[in-house]
Amino acid sequence: MKIIKIVLLSLVAVGLIFSFAFASKHKPEERGKALFNDVKLGNGTSGKSCNSCHADGKGMEKAATKKEFNIMGKSQKSLEEAVNFCIENALKGKAIDAKSDDMKDITAYIKSKKKKVIEGC
């Protein structure tokens, strides 16, 4: 009887672990928000996060639809390039891979700021 209980508890524990992992993979905006607030994004050394300059995503409302960005007099051809420009210059970190989960999540969060503005109208 003890063995059955141990096996069942183990299965429940494994199930919970996989369900949390599965859930976090499907909530890129939440993970992106955490990255947006992370002072260590891209191994940043300035002590700043994206949120330091863009509190609660302020100023990101049009980022989802922009085709080109101009930050500090420099042109970026995509949102991913703009994110990396800020990581390298404001956060004093290293660019992250444009195809990484971190980039997908942080851009999903930034793009979600457009949704909030439209929903709020």
Side-chain angles (χ1 to χ4, degrees):
M1 190 63 140
K2 266 188 175 179
I3 292 176
I4 293 174
K5 286 182 181 179
I6 291 171
V7 169
L8 286 174
L9 276 173
S10 297
L11 287 173
V12 170
V14 169
L16 286 173
I17 290 168
F18 280 111
S19 67
F20 283 123
F22 183 77
S24 68
K25 288 273 188 196
H26 290 86
K27 295 186 181 187
E29 291 174 18
E30 288 179 18
R31 192 162 176 280
K33 183 177 181 178
L35 292 168
F36 196 82
N37 287 284
D38 186 356
V39 297
K40 294 295 182 189
L41 179 64
N43 295 314
T45 59
S46 70
K48 293 181 180 180
S49 69
C50 301
N51 196 60
S52 298
C53 296
H54 306 283
D56 296 321
K58 196 163 191 101
M60 302 282 106
E61 297 87 1
K62 296 179 183 177
T65 57
K66 289 177 88 170
K67 301 291 183 211
E68 189 171 317
F69 298 81
N70 187 349
I71 306 168
M72 297 170 49
K74 306 278 184 183
S75 180
Q76 298 82 37
K77 303 285 186 210
S78 67
L79 179 55
E80 291 81 5
E81 281 185 27
V83 167
N84 274 330
F85 183 87
C86 290
I87 289 171
E88 292 174 317
N89 293 282
L91 278 56
K92 303 290 185 222
K94 294 181 182 172
I96 58 176
D97 184 348
K99 295 181 181 181
S100 69
D101 286 341
D102 284 352
M103 183 63 81
K104 290 175 186 172
D105 294 341
I106 198 164
T107 55
Y109 172 70
I110 292 168
K111 289 175 181 179
S112 78
K113 301 320 282 175
K114 177 184 180 215
K115 295 178 195 172
K116 304 294 186 229
V117 172
I118 291 171
E119 290 169 0
C121 292

